[in-house]
């Protein structure tokens, strides 16, 4: 297993769960792995050649399907996964995480299409326009956000620290983030402050959902952090992960560290169970 593949698998399992991608022990020589598509309750088998990412991975078979899935659904997911690989793969670049993310988005879009015309609050909320948030000066607010911190993780001279705090409106998100950078000199000096939030509230008796993320220059990190919040099913929380770059590139392994410290901050803040 190459370092690139090992880092990619570590990142995926840290975000989606420890058993999301596993090597099939009895087929170790053939480099076969199982990949759980949690959203679809389907497990696929993948062949990842020794030359990956110079050579493309292959989805070879359906390894398992949930008991409630309709007949033929596993085969449909397998075919869809193969099509996603064709769209996403670029020789020389790891793509497994991107394939998994786009596969989930494709399946979710298909599910939404099938439910078109039905009462679907979630889809309505996703289409709703969020009102513009006013510019906030940290000194204008009386209540300061209470941040819960993770431990600091250092890897190859880069340091990572996550913070979580309760929020109930997008205005509170903006205030909390602005206040953090205005009052915490170390956070202000971070190379990246990656953030994501999810809020569930109501307006005029109707449920309202807000969720968003920001990479702050750490490409794709914000979306993966938001994905973690969705998987953990946490609400009314803002997470900010600060990274101080140490001069050595970490590759996909950085996503695993970002999500590990974020998970710790969420559990420490009692937003999720450990």
């Amino acid at each position: 297993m190459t370092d690139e593949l090992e880092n990619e698998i570590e990142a995926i399992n840290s975000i989606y769960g420890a058993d999301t991608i596993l090597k099939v022990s009895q087929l170790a020589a053939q480099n076969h792995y199982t990949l759980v598509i949690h959203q679809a309750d389907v497990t696929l088998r993948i062949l990842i050649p020794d030359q990956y990412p110079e050579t493309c991975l292959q989805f070879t078979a359906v390894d398992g399907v949930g008991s409630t899935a309709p007949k033929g659904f596993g085969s449909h997911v397998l075919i869809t996964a193969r099509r996603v690989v064709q769209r996403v793969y670029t020789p020389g670049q790891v793509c497994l995480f991107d394939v998994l993310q786009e596969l989930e988005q494709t399946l979710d879009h298909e599910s939404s299409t099938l439910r078109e015309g039905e009462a679907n609050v979630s889809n309505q909320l996703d289409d709703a326009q969020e009102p513009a948030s006013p510019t906030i000066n940290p000194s204008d607010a009386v209540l300061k956000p209470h941040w819960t911190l993770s431990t600091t993780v250092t890897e190859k001279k880069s340091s990572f620290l996550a913070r979580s705090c309760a929020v109930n409106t997008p205005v509170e998100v903006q205030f909390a983030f602005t206040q953090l950078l205005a009052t915490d000199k170390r956070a202000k000096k971070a190379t990246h402050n990656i953030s994501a939030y999810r809020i569930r509230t109501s307006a005029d008796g109707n449920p309202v959902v807000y969720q968003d993320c920001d990479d702050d220059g750490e490409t794709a990190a914000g979306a993966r952090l938001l994905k973690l919040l969705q998987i953990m099913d946490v609400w009314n929380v803002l997470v900010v992960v600060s990274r101080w770059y140490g001069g050595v590139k970490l590759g996909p392994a950085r996503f695993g560290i970002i999500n590990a410290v974020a998970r710790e901050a969420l559990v420490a803040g009692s937003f999720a169970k450990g």
Side-chain angles (χ1 to χ4, degrees):
M1 183 187 301
T2 65
D3 290 341
E4 288 179 302
L5 177 57
E6 184 176 2
N7 289 338
E8 192 172 28
I9 290 175
E10 180 182 346
I12 289 172
N13 285 339
S14 70
I15 296 171
Y16 288 89
D19 297 330
T20 299
I21 180 166
L22 296 172
K23 192 161 190 175
V24 182
S25 57
Q26 64 267 33
L27 296 174
Q30 288 82 13
N31 295 331
H32 279 267
Y33 296 79
T34 56
L35 175 67
V36 180
I37 315 300
H38 294 285
Q39 174 185 327
D41 198 13
V42 172
T43 303
L44 301 179
R45 185 161 292 194
I46 317 174
L47 172 61
I48 304 180
D50 290 331
Q51 297 78 17
Y52 174 81
E54 298 298 332
T55 303
C56 187
L57 55 85
Q58 301 174 42
F59 283 92
T60 60
V62 178
D63 197 73
V65 181
S67 58
T68 60
K71 184 177 180 180
F73 183 63
S75 297
H76 171 70
V77 173
L78 175 62
I79 293 171
T80 304
R82 288 170 174 170
R83 290 172 177 168
V84 169
V85 170
Q86 291 176 352
R87 294 198 301 266
V88 170
Y89 174 68
T90 300
Q93 297 183 15
V94 294
C95 68
L96 190 52
F97 184 93
D98 294 331
V99 167
L100 178 56
Q101 191 170 44
E102 183 161 336
L103 176 58
E104 286 191 327
Q105 292 173 352
T106 300
L107 294 173
D108 185 58
H109 176 71
E110 291 176 349
S111 178
S112 298
T113 301
L114 290 174
R115 296 193 302 269
E116 187 175 356
E118 299 178 2
N120 190 316
V121 175
S122 295
N123 286 343
Q124 293 173 3
L125 296 175
D126 288 341
D127 292 336
Q129 291 186 348
E130 179 180 325
S133 299
T135 302
I136 297 176
N137 186 324
S139 62
D140 293 340
V142 177
L143 297 176
K144 302 292 185 182
H146 174 71
W147 294 98
T148 300
L149 278 61
S150 71
T151 55
T152 300
V153 174
T154 301
E155 179 71 19
K156 295 180 180 178
K157 299 183 180 180
S158 281
S159 296
F160 300 80
L161 173 70
R163 300 170 175 85
S164 66
C165 76
V167 290
N168 294 296
T169 67
V171 171
E172 290 185 14
V173 171
Q174 185 181 350
F175 167 72
F177 190 80
T178 302
Q179 187 268 346
L180 173 64
L181 298 186
T183 60
D184 191 309
K185 293 182 180 179
R186 189 163 180 245
K188 186 176 182 179
K189 292 181 179 179
T191 312
H192 309 287
N193 282 301
I194 307 130
S195 60
Y197 70 87
R198 298 183 83 205
I199 296 170
R200 183 165 53 191
T201 183
S202 62
D204 298 326
N206 298 315
V208 178
V209 168
Y210 300 105
Q211 59 181 13
D212 203 357
C213 59
D214 184 21
D215 295 336
D216 192 29
E218 185 70 275
T219 305
R224 299 182 188 203
L225 186 58
L226 178 58
K227 186 67 178 180
L228 175 69
L229 302 188
Q230 294 167 343
I231 291 173
M232 296 181 71
D233 193 28
V234 294
W235 292 96
N236 294 61
V237 62
L238 165 67
V239 177
V240 179
V241 179
S242 300
R243 179 189 182 183
W244 295 268
Y245 182 59
V248 180
K249 293 183 177 180
L250 300 181
R254 69 191 188 278
F255 299 123
I257 300 173
I258 290 169
N259 282 275
V261 294
R263 185 186 296 271
E264 181 184 337
L266 289 166
V267 172
S270 299
F271 297 103
K273 295 181 180 179

